[in-house]
Amino acid sequence: MEQINQVQAQRVWQRVRGTQESTETSLADLIVAEWEDSAIYLQLSRHFSGKDSMLLQKMHEQEQTHCSCLKGICSMTTGTLPHLPKQAPIHGSIEQILRNCYGREMRALSAYDARCQDPEYGHVFTRLRDQEQEHCRLILELIGSLHRK
Protein backbone atom coordinates (compact mmCIF):
# COMPACT_ATOMS: atom_id res chain seq x y z
CA MET A 1 0.00 0.00 0.00
CA GLU A 2 1.23 3.50 -0.84
CA GLN A 3 2.41 5.76 1.99
CA ILE A 4 0.50 9.06 2.27
CA ASN A 5 2.73 12.13 2.14
CA GLN A 6 1.40 14.54 4.78
CA VAL A 7 2.58 17.67 2.96
CA GLN A 8 0.89 16.62 -0.29
CA ALA A 9 -2.27 15.60 1.56
CA GLN A 10 -2.38 18.99 3.28
CA ARG A 11 -1.97 20.80 -0.05
CA VAL A 12 -4.77 18.74 -1.61
CA TRP A 13 -7.12 19.62 1.26
CA GLN A 14 -6.16 23.30 1.02
CA ARG A 15 -7.05 23.25 -2.67
CA VAL A 16 -10.33 21.47 -1.99
CA ARG A 17 -11.28 23.96 0.72
CA GLY A 18 -9.88 26.88 -1.25
CA THR A 19 -7.87 28.21 1.68
CA GLN A 20 -4.33 29.55 1.87
CA GLU A 21 -2.03 29.66 4.85
CA SER A 22 -2.33 33.20 6.16
CA THR A 23 1.39 33.52 6.90
CA GLU A 24 2.34 32.73 3.31
CA THR A 25 2.13 35.01 0.33
CA SER A 26 -0.33 33.42 -2.09
CA LEU A 27 0.75 32.39 -5.55
CA ALA A 28 -1.68 34.93 -6.98
CA ASP A 29 -0.02 37.70 -4.97
CA LEU A 30 3.42 36.57 -6.12
CA ILE A 31 2.28 36.54 -9.75
CA VAL A 32 0.89 40.07 -9.51
CA ALA A 33 4.06 41.30 -7.76
CA GLU A 34 6.29 39.80 -10.47
CA TRP A 35 4.07 41.34 -13.14
CA GLU A 36 4.37 44.74 -11.48
CA ASP A 37 8.14 44.42 -11.01
CA SER A 38 8.53 43.55 -14.67
CA ALA A 39 6.65 46.69 -15.72
CA ILE A 40 8.63 48.88 -13.31
CA TYR A 41 11.97 47.62 -14.65
CA LEU A 42 10.88 48.22 -18.22
CA GLN A 43 9.84 51.78 -17.38
CA LEU A 44 13.07 52.37 -15.43
CA SER A 45 15.15 51.12 -18.36
CA ARG A 46 13.93 54.13 -20.35
CA HIS A 47 15.45 56.50 -17.77
CA PHE A 48 18.91 54.95 -18.11
CA SER A 49 21.25 54.44 -21.03
CA GLY A 50 23.88 51.95 -22.08
CA LYS A 51 24.78 49.11 -19.73
CA ASP A 52 22.34 50.19 -17.01
CA SER A 53 19.40 50.30 -19.42
CA MET A 54 20.29 46.85 -20.76
CA LEU A 55 20.57 45.55 -17.20
CA LEU A 56 17.06 46.78 -16.37
CA GLN A 57 15.69 45.30 -19.59
CA LYS A 58 17.22 41.95 -18.65
CA MET A 59 15.64 42.20 -15.19
CA HIS A 60 12.31 43.01 -16.88
CA GLU A 61 12.61 39.83 -18.98
CA GLN A 62 13.55 37.73 -15.95
CA GLU A 63 10.57 39.04 -13.99
CA GLN A 64 8.33 38.18 -16.96
CA THR A 65 9.78 34.67 -16.85
CA HIS A 66 9.14 34.48 -13.09
CA CYS A 67 5.55 35.53 -13.70
CA SER A 68 5.08 32.87 -16.39
CA CYS A 69 6.64 30.21 -14.19
CA LEU A 70 4.39 31.10 -11.25
CA LYS A 71 1.36 31.12 -13.54
CA GLY A 72 2.31 27.61 -14.63
CA ILE A 73 2.51 26.46 -11.01
CA CYS A 74 -0.79 28.17 -10.22
CA SER A 75 -2.45 26.53 -13.21
CA MET A 76 -1.12 23.12 -12.17
CA THR A 77 -2.17 23.47 -8.52
CA THR A 78 -5.42 25.43 -8.70
CA GLY A 79 -6.53 25.30 -12.32
CA THR A 80 -7.03 29.07 -12.37
CA LEU A 81 -4.97 32.18 -12.98
CA PRO A 82 -5.24 35.55 -11.24
CA HIS A 83 -6.29 38.69 -13.07
CA LEU A 84 -3.28 40.88 -13.86
CA PRO A 85 -3.95 44.60 -13.43
CA LYS A 86 -3.00 47.23 -15.96
CA GLN A 87 0.31 48.79 -15.01
CA ALA A 88 0.42 52.38 -13.85
CA PRO A 89 3.31 54.67 -14.77
CA ILE A 90 6.05 55.03 -12.16
CA HIS A 91 6.32 58.25 -10.15
CA GLY A 92 9.00 59.71 -7.92
CA SER A 93 12.75 59.95 -8.02
CA ILE A 94 14.68 57.17 -9.70
CA GLU A 95 16.53 56.47 -6.45
CA GLN A 96 13.30 56.14 -4.46
CA ILE A 97 11.79 53.86 -7.08
CA LEU A 98 14.91 51.68 -6.96
CA ARG A 99 14.76 51.63 -3.14
CA ASN A 100 11.16 50.44 -3.35
CA CYS A 101 12.20 47.80 -5.89
CA TYR A 102 14.86 46.57 -3.47
CA GLY A 103 12.20 46.09 -0.79
CA ARG A 104 9.92 44.28 -3.22
CA GLU A 105 12.75 41.97 -4.30
CA MET A 106 13.58 41.19 -0.66
CA ARG A 107 9.93 40.27 0.02
CA ALA A 108 9.87 38.02 -3.06
CA LEU A 109 13.17 36.43 -2.03
CA SER A 110 11.71 35.67 1.39
CA ALA A 111 8.48 34.25 -0.07
CA TYR A 112 10.41 31.98 -2.43
CA ASP A 113 12.80 30.91 0.29
CA ALA A 114 9.81 29.81 2.40
CA ARG A 115 8.64 27.61 -0.50
CA CYS A 116 11.99 25.97 -1.36
CA GLN A 117 11.05 22.79 0.52
CA ASP A 118 7.90 22.25 -1.54
CA PRO A 119 8.07 18.61 -2.73
CA GLU A 120 6.89 19.35 -6.27
CA TYR A 121 8.08 22.86 -7.02
CA GLY A 122 10.85 23.51 -4.49
CA HIS A 123 13.54 23.42 -7.17
CA VAL A 124 11.69 26.13 -9.10
CA PHE A 125 11.30 28.33 -6.03
CA THR A 126 15.01 27.87 -5.26
CA ARG A 127 15.90 29.18 -8.71
CA LEU A 128 13.49 32.12 -8.38
CA ARG A 129 14.93 32.94 -4.94
CA ASP A 130 18.47 32.96 -6.32
CA GLN A 131 17.50 35.27 -9.18
CA GLU A 132 15.74 37.65 -6.79
CA GLN A 133 18.88 37.71 -4.65
CA GLU A 134 20.88 38.70 -7.72
CA HIS A 135 18.30 41.40 -8.53
CA CYS A 136 18.86 42.85 -5.05
CA ARG A 137 22.57 43.09 -5.79
CA LEU A 138 21.96 44.70 -9.18
CA ILE A 139 19.56 47.26 -7.72
CA LEU A 140 22.18 48.28 -5.16
CA GLU A 141 24.67 48.63 -8.01
CA LEU A 142 22.23 50.87 -9.89
CA ILE A 143 21.60 53.01 -6.81
CA GLY A 144 25.35 53.35 -6.34
CA SER A 145 25.82 54.37 -9.98
CA LEU A 146 23.34 57.24 -9.55
CA HIS A 147 25.77 58.97 -7.21
CA ARG A 148 28.76 58.82 -9.52
CA LYS A 149 27.03 60.77 -12.27
Side-chain angles (χ1 to χ4, degrees):
M1 182 161 241
E2 198 172 311
Q3 192 82 347
I4 295 176
N5 180 327
Q6 289 295 59
V7 173
Q8 287 178 326
Q10 184 180 15
R11 287 179 61 217
V12 168
W13 280 111
Q14 283 178 342
R15 278 185 273 173
V16 169
R17 289 189 301 252
T19 60
Q20 295 275 345
E21 290 184 26
S22 60
T23 59
E24 237 181 50
T25 305
S26 75
L27 272 177
D29 291 340
L30 290 171
I31 292 167
V32 170
E34 293 289 5
W35 177 255
E36 290 170 349
D37 290 348
S38 174
I40 291 168
Y41 294 140
L42 182 60
Q43 290 179 61
L44 279 173
S45 73
R46 296 177 184 135
H47 293 277
F48 286 84
S49 61
K51 178 183 86 107
D52 292 340
S53 177
M54 289 178 16
L55 180 84
L56 285 159
Q57 288 175 14
K58 181 178 178 184
M59 290 170 65
H60 156 73
E61 291 168 4
Q62 288 176 337
E63 297 291 0
Q64 283 279 311
T65 301
H66 295 182
C67 187
S68 295
C69 201
L70 293 170
K71 285 165 68 176
I73 293 171
C74 191
S75 178
M76 294 284 288
T77 59
T78 67
T80 62
L81 294 175
H83 171 73
L84 295 175
K86 184 175 178 171
Q87 294 304 304
I90 55 175
H91 298 290
S93 73
I94 299 300
E95 183 171 356
Q96 189 56 53
I97 293 166
L98 286 169
R99 286 173 178 264
N100 292 342
C101 287
Y102 184 83
R104 292 170 65 91
E105 293 290 351
M106 287 297 293
R107 284 188 294 280
L109 190 157
S110 178
Y112 296 143
D113 192 50
R115 293 173 179 259
C116 285
Q117 299 307 312
D118 182 280
E120 287 183 76
Y121 305 107
H123 62 286
V124 176
F125 290 117
T126 298
R127 174 99 167 121
L128 295 175
R129 178 201 62 199
D130 293 347
Q131 284 187 333
E132 298 295 7
Q133 188 173 28
E134 177 64 7
H135 287 180
C136 288
R137 187 190 69 76
L138 294 171
I139 290 169
L140 292 174
E141 187 178 310
L142 287 166
I143 291 171
S145 74
L146 292 174
H147 297 288
R148 70 168 184 237
K149 293 181 179 179

